[in-house]
Every structure is written in structure tokens, then in C-alpha cells.
Amino acid sequence: MQTVSRVVLLGLFVQAADADEIRHLTFPNVMLGTWAETAEQCAAKDKSNVVIEPAKYGDGAGSCAVRWIVLHALCTSASLPEKTQTKNIIVRPLGPDRAAMGRTFEDLKNYQRCP
């Protein structure tokens, strides 16, 4: 049985969908880049950094190729497309080049975009 990864993006798509979901194939440009908790982690290319590409998400736990995004993104493993797993990732923009990210609302951490 195949499971599915879900990426929850709060505050990015504030569109109300009546009966149908509005799916996007890529992350919005404002979210693209490498994100780290500190400037030192940016410079060191720390494994805890979060990398968001147009159709890919990665962090210390691995990466996934995004198939679609609404308030959820359907992902598969970037290296093994047949392998999937369930993950929730919350991204809450805090302003230009700042965002809170985590797997649950209780573990959100502040990140900054790396140069």
C-alpha cells in the first residue's frame, strides 16, 4: 500500500475552494530558496536547513518531488519515486525572507532565507 506525503502551506494560498481544490504544480516564488535558523547554518550548509525548489522540498529527513500543492502537496521520494511516506510540513511566512516551519504547530521554528 502506498502512502502519500503532504506539505501544509499556511498563509500562501488564501483562496477559498468551493467544491474543487485549486492545485498548483510549484511552490510560490516567495518560498523558494534555502532556509536556516541562523546565518551560521546558512554558511555551513547545515543538514537542518530547509530547501524549497519550484517542485521539490528537502530537509534533514530527506527530500521529495512535489506533484501538486493546494494547502497540501502530494510528494514522492526524489531519489526513489515509487517510495512515498506521510509528512506534514507547516510553512507560515513571517515577512520578507522569514518564515516559521515545522512538522506540527507545537514545533514551529523561525527560519531565514539564506543568501
Side-chain angles (χ1 to χ4, degrees):
M1 176 146 64
Q2 183 176 6
T3 58
V4 186
S5 293
R6 293 177 289 153
V7 179
V8 180
L9 302 174
L10 301 178
L12 295 180
F13 305 106
V14 191
Q15 303 173 0
D18 292 359
D20 297 333
E21 294 178 334
I22 298 171
R23 293 184 178 189
H24 300 269
L25 300 178
T26 60
F27 285 100
N29 288 338
V30 298
M31 292 309 304
L32 301 181
T34 299
W35 298 79
E37 292 182 67
T38 67
E40 292 79 21
Q41 287 173 315
C42 284
K45 297 185 180 181
D46 193 274
K47 290 185 179 187
S48 67
N49 294 353
V50 172
V51 178
I52 300 175
E53 297 176 8
K56 187 176 176 183
Y57 174 89
D59 61 17
S63 64
C64 69
V66 175
R67 289 198 218 157
W68 53 261
I69 300 167
V70 180
L71 290 178
H72 305 277
L74 176 62
C75 296
T76 57
S77 171
S79 59
L80 300 168
E82 68 281 356
K83 182 181 177 183
T84 60
Q85 58 184 329
T86 301
K87 290 183 187 176
N88 287 319
I89 302 150
I90 300 167
V91 179
R92 192 179 90 205
L94 300 174
D97 300 326
R98 308 245 354 125
M101 300 183 196
R103 302 270 184 211
T104 68
F105 287 105
E106 290 77 30
D107 77 349
L108 291 179
K109 295 178 183 172
N110 290 333
Y111 284 79
Q112 60 188 11
R113 187 188 321 267
C114 297

